[in-house]
Amino acid sequence: MRLACAVIISFSTVLAAPLAQAEEPLSFEDVFRLEMAADPQISADGGHVVYVRRSNDIMTDRTRSDLWTIDFEGRHHRPLVTGSEAFSSPRWAPDGSRVAFIAQRETSAQLRSIWLEGGQITTLAVLPAGANGLTWSPDGRWIAFTMFTRTAEPQVDIGMPAKPPGAEWAEASIIDETIQYEFDGVGELPAGGAQVYIVSAEGGAPIQLTEFDSGAIGAVNWSPDSRELFFSLSSAEADDFDFRESDIHAVDLSGNVRQITDSPGAESAPALSPDGEVLAYLGGPNRGVSHQDNNLYMMDVSGGETRELLAELDRPIAQIAWDGDGRGLWLRYDDRGKTVLAHMTRSGRLETVSDSLGGLTFGRPYTTGAFSVSRNGRFTASAASAYDLANIGVGTRRNGMRTLTDINSDVLGLRELARIEEITWPSSADGREIQGWIAYPPGFDPQQSYPMILEIHGGPHTAYGPIFSGEVQLFAAAGYVVLYTNPRGSTSYGEDFANLIDKNYPGEDVDDLLSGVDALVERGFIDPQRLFVTGGSGGGVLTAQLIGVDDRFAAAAVGKPVINWTSFALAADIGPVIYKYWFGVTPWEDPEQYWRRSPLSLVGNVTTPSLVFVGAEDRRTPVFEAEQYYNALQIRGIESRLVRIPDTYHGIADSRPSRLLQKVGHILAWFEAYDPGRVQEE
């Protein structure tokens, strides 16, 4: 049955596309030539920027990570560290004389530093488990980081006989005694957790400062006097591994830990003012809903009440950093699909500096971004657009951001890209305005008729934006008009909009999507018999839901979906979070709700030929979810195909370049096979 959706014509704005120098659209091979400027870091004096230059290697099918530098004026753009290893986390020494970084090998990592004068590289420490959160002490004597530290595996005496010398027995059983035993991208979690370490800036053995039995440590930040490290601790066993519960702690150089905050809910991302008197952090009370934005708080380190700032902002703050003089804070947050860099004075006055951050994913057009600030009021940030991945941007509060690099000019400058246009429409559910973007195929002629792909983001509490997307561009290059949207549940429109799907997902977000399809068809250049739909993760949920309630699509590609909420909540790596915040009850307390919201309950209505794809090692939306749906389609006799991508976790497109191409290639091949227009032409 097809849902009826009222359509009202809405306004739209066009994002200007660069003039193409050639008629060729983006090709599969071009993906191996794309690059991005990630993790930009500005020196304390604001004179230079170091960044991670990520590029795709066609011979190894890997993304390389080298370190490059450029000065604030855009001169002397050159490689700093290159080689066969993966280099990451470049961080300036306080005096700007050298850069510390991580050199990752297949089985271990090293902490190194390079002097800007002379280019000498020194290995400071060997890091068997890698490192995160690299940060220099203000006095330049120490480098802090977090590193996974193993503890003893659980042992159970089951009466096994001793293994004879030289005997080859099967591996011992894997024993788990907590609910947190696996995670996507890692697999089976070994016993242990991240701890805070320091190492001398002159090199030596890392010194472990913390010994927490459980919990995730994040956002390590030095006190201005270099005597303490502030960090957040979340998802501890004492809190039932609830990521919504976290507190800020501090540890001194002797390993003495003290707890700074103890409020119900999350406190994270601690940042101390330059005078060390005020602690800023992100978080908020736990309200038990499926989505909560980070709010901004301040408190005196010596004690006193916590105060919230920017309560009227109603946007998810993702990153904060103090001015060098301590008079204000820099913030990064998403607003209506764009990533904003803003500055706030201590009195709470907020001003936007740029809304063009992003470009840190090769695959889909998710909102992303990163920035850092110098002591003298300068900043660097990931500058992006609908037509390019992240480049290096720099600027000041008063002058905004200017882009220094153009690292994809040798590829994108010679390709005719899809033109991106913003569109809004009222949802048939309640008239609420929904925002999306149209990608027009190269050579688009509004007098012609085109097939259309509705591409749905995951999450569901995430957001798309007018950002370059390898997948969207390849779909458009194949001749499709692509519609990608932010239905209710998406972030960057305020907490109320995100929580319209609280305890009701999937729900009226389906109406938002179908209303968008209707609005685009009304423009007259879409063939209503050639409509296609795809999405991954949360988008896979909605794709399966759409074809369960509507038969308008010629074919569907259901990516890494949740099909059965009961099996998902009891087996996925984030299952304990799902039952608590997305349902509010366990499956055995309300099995009817779990089944009603499961796309599997609608499979009896499906007539749409459906491709189902998933990473073969996915722990976020486990493989058996895709298999359940595929088997149900097969039992019903629906044209269907199951594609499992080997050695791949949940993040398919950004794991290896060829996996992005496999994903896009399988989707396009399936759509072409069931495209009525192509069948008639043949």
Side-chain angles (χ1 to χ4, degrees), residues 424-442:
T424 61
W425 62 90
S427 171
S428 63
D430 54 11
R432 193 179 304 270
E433 182 186 83
I434 307 299
Q435 183 184 32
W437 292 267
I438 308 167
Y440 293 99

Side-chain angles (χ1 to χ4, degrees), residues 506-525:
E508 291 177 335
D509 39 4
V510 168
D511 301 297
D512 300 344
L513 295 166
L514 293 177
S515 299
V517 173
D518 288 338
L520 191 53
V521 170
E522 280 290 310
R523 295 194 171 194
F525 50 76

Side-chain angles (χ1 to χ4, degrees), residues 128-129 147-153 188-195 197 208:
M147 182 169 62
F148 182 84
T149 305
R150 283 182 174 271
T151 57
E153 299 283 350
E188 182 76 19
L189 289 174
Q195 305 291 347
Y197 286 80
Q208 182 177 342

Side-chain angles (χ1 to χ4, degrees), residues 291 293 314-316 333-338 367 435 437 462-464 486 490-495 497-498:
H291 175 75
D293 288 341
D314 195 23
R315 290 295 184 265
Y333 58 88
D334 290 345
D335 180 30
R336 294 185 58 82
K338 293 185 176 182
T367 54
Q435 183 184 32
W437 292 267
T462 54
Y464 275 165
N486 283 335
S490 301
T491 55
S492 79
Y493 301 88
E495 278 197 17
F497 186 85

Side-chain angles (χ1 to χ4, degrees), residues 82-168:
T82 63
S84 59
E85 298 159 297
F87 304 104
S88 63
S89 303
R91 296 295 183 268
W92 290 97
D95 63 4
S97 63
R98 53 179 170 150
V99 173
F101 61 94
I102 301 295
Q104 182 68 51
R105 299 176 175 178
E106 287 190 9
T107 57
S108 66
Q110 292 182 350
L111 172 61
R112 299 177 185 169
S113 69
I114 180 170
W115 271 259
L116 271 294
E117 277 192 31
Q120 298 92 343
I121 296 178
T122 299
T123 298
L124 302 179
V126 176
L127 309 172
N132 289 302
L134 211 65
T135 177
W136 286 81
S137 62
D139 62 11
R141 296 180 56 199
W142 301 97
I143 300 172
F145 52 89
T146 62
M147 182 169 62
F148 182 84
T149 305
R150 283 182 174 271
T151 57
E153 299 283 350
Q155 300 294 323
V156 178
D157 183 2
I158 58 174
M160 290 286 289
K163 184 169 66 174
E168 296 183 2

